[in-house]
Structures are given as C-alpha cells and as structure tokens.
Amino acid sequence: MKDLEKDHIAVQVEADDWKEAIQASGQLLARSGAVSEDYVNSMIQSVEKNGPYIVIAPGIAIAHARPSASVFENALALAILKEPVAFHSKENDPVDLVFSFSAKGDESHLKMIEQLSIFLMKEEAVKRLREVNSAEEAYQIITEGSVTNE
Amino acid sequence: MSKLKIMTVCGFGLGSSMVLKMNLDAVLKDLGIEADVFTGDVSSATGTSCDYIFTSNELAGNIKSATSTPVVVINSFVDKAEIKEKAQAEIKSE
C-alpha cells in the first residue's frame, strides 16, 4: 500500500490510555521523519477539542491533524495495542488498532485514505490484523487487503 | 430530479470523512441513488448548502444545532450494511 511502510507498524504496543496510544502511533511517523513532534501533539489536541470522532469503527481509530509546517511527508502508521484502551467513544470503544496519518496538502493523501478504507471494509482481514505477531505480518495483510477485488 | 448533494463531515474533512465518502459512494451506487458526495470539516458543514450531512455521533450534536440540513449519524464508517440501512431510511427519493 502506498505510503505505509513496515517501520510504520508496531505490534504488541503497550499504552495505558488513548493519549499514549496516539502518541505511540504518532511516534512511528515522527521517528521516520514524516512529521515533527508538534504534529503528534496536534493529533492529541484534536481529540481533546473535538472528541473521539476519530474512532470510526469498533476498535479502530484514525488519528490525524491538519496539514501544516509540521508535516514533511504523507504517511500512514499503525500501532496495534497489546490491550485495548478507552477513547470514550460511545459506540466503538475499546480501541486496539490505532492508525495515524499525515497529509501535506489537500489532495495528495487521498489515494492513501482510499486504500486504507478499502482495507477496513474487509472484516476478515481486519480480524486477522488483530492476531498478528509481527509488523511484517501486519504489513502483508494490509498490503494484500488494500486492493479492490470485488 | 436534480442530483443530491451530500456532505460527509469529520474534524478536518480529510481523514474519516474521506473513508465515509468512499463507502457512501459505493452504497448509493448499489441503491441507484445519484448524488455528489463531498467531504468537509465541522465549520464548513454549517455554512455549505447540501441536502444531507453524514457524520459521526460525536460531531452530530454541534452540527445539528447550527444547521437545518438533515444530519445522518453513522456509528461505523466502514460498515456498509449500516450505511446502506441509514441511507435508505433517510434519503427520500423524489
């Protein structure tokens, strides 16, 4: 899948709360140089301000913030939590798949979101993602699942 | 009948609203409903004219209080069955 790299995936991640979960996912972006630390903080502030709307489906969050000078590349990361945490989402708590992404501008990240969306529609593939033991396995599942085959 | 205008809304209009737009596009196609679906953030939702707004439970409250456009709440943005059921129930074809 475009813009998802193996080193942007972490498995068995330990987080005590939703902030640590976003922090863990965001650090994957920051570590590779796709965003600065500021961007990671903005993702957390966004949830503080707007609520847990980023939890878009049962157990799945997609954290992000506005395109800004803190974004150097479009990128997508995933932290798979060892134990799910509460995001205070009425319908979709608790969360164990914490995606985060960065977007440089208005349109250039759309392909990435489109592919992620195709993947997330595949219930079986998402279920398998929750059972992986390595980033390598997770990468395979997402890459295979993000192409249209209907 | 003119083409429906539907806005999917999230915090910034570029992440989850995009996921919802894609799935809504697919569902509407299945249902044979012609519509322009576009994404937006909460502030543009209240200032843009459209026929329906699709969004999450968390954001719906603010939007509902600021606009008279019908707001459809979707709990899971990746659950085609839920999107289909709500689109069918809410969208009145003329």
Side-chain angles (χ1 to χ4, degrees):
Chain A
M1 179 160 140
K2 196 174 177 282
D3 305 304
L4 178 70
E5 292 164 23
K6 270 174 235 176
D7 63 1
H8 280 165
I9 301 175
V11 299
Q12 303 281 319
V13 173
E14 298 195 23
D16 286 336
D17 56 31
W18 67 266
K19 284 188 194 178
E20 283 187 22
I22 294 181
Q23 185 68 239
S25 188
Q27 280 309 322
L28 297 167
L29 298 175
R31 208 178 56 193
S32 74
V35 301
S36 71
E37 296 286 335
D38 281 351
Y39 186 81
V40 181
N41 292 329
S42 307
M43 292 196 292
I44 294 172
Q45 281 159 14
S46 163
V47 175
E48 284 173 339
K49 182 172 166 247
N50 297 310
Y53 77 90
I54 63 165
V55 185
I56 62 150
I60 302 174
I62 305 183
H64 66 92
R66 224 176 263 289
S68 71
S70 311
V71 176
F72 309 118
E73 282 169 30
N74 293 339
L76 177 68
L78 168 64
I80 305 177
L81 305 186
K82 199 170 175 183
E83 300 292 338
V85 298
F87 270 66
H88 311 294
S89 163
K90 206 169 111 196
E91 306 291 340
N92 298 323
D93 259 352
V95 173
D96 61 345
L97 299 178
V98 186
F99 291 90
S100 61
F101 77 85
S102 55
K104 275 174 71 175
D106 293 336
E107 301 278 318
S108 57
H109 70 293
L110 293 186
K111 189 74 192 161
M112 179 171 88
I113 299 301
E114 187 182 323
Q115 287 178 317
L116 177 61
S117 170
I118 290 169
F119 170 73
L120 293 176
M121 298 280 279
K122 296 181 177 162
E123 253 176 77
E124 269 307 305
V126 173
K127 206 175 141 205
R128 275 167 52 217
L129 189 60
R130 295 195 148 103
E131 290 157 5
V132 298
N133 295 309
S134 69
E136 175 79 28
E137 268 178 83
Y139 181 77
Q140 288 298 336
I141 291 171
I142 297 173
T143 308
E144 286 165 21
S146 60
V147 290
T148 323
N149 57 7
E150 288 176 55
Chain B
M1 168 186 168
S2 63
K3 221 175 183 185
L4 286 173
K5 282 168 73 181
I6 301 176
M7 188 175 202
T8 59
V9 176
C10 71
F12 302 112
L14 45 77
S16 27
S17 59
M18 198 59 216
V19 173
L20 181 56
K21 172 193 148 52
M22 286 202 38
N23 296 330
L24 184 58
D25 272 334
V27 162
L28 293 175
K29 201 177 156 201
D30 284 353
L31 292 172
I33 298 172
E34 269 200 59
D36 273 329
V37 183
F38 53 98
T39 62
D41 60 17
V42 175
S43 54
S44 61
T46 56
T48 308
S49 95
C50 59
D51 299 300
Y52 298 94
I53 292 171
F54 278 61
T55 192
S56 68
N57 188 35
E58 282 82 15
L59 300 177
N62 282 342
I63 298 171
K64 276 180 185 165
S65 61
T67 175
S68 57
T69 307
V71 176
V72 182
V73 175
I74 302 292
N75 293 322
S76 171
F77 284 16
V78 301
D79 182 350
K80 254 184 159 177
E82 182 194 352
I83 299 172
K84 191 169 194 169
E85 188 190 317
K86 290 185 175 163
Q88 240 171 343
E90 300 286 337
I91 297 175
K92 319 263 184 296
S93 31
E94 287 155 34

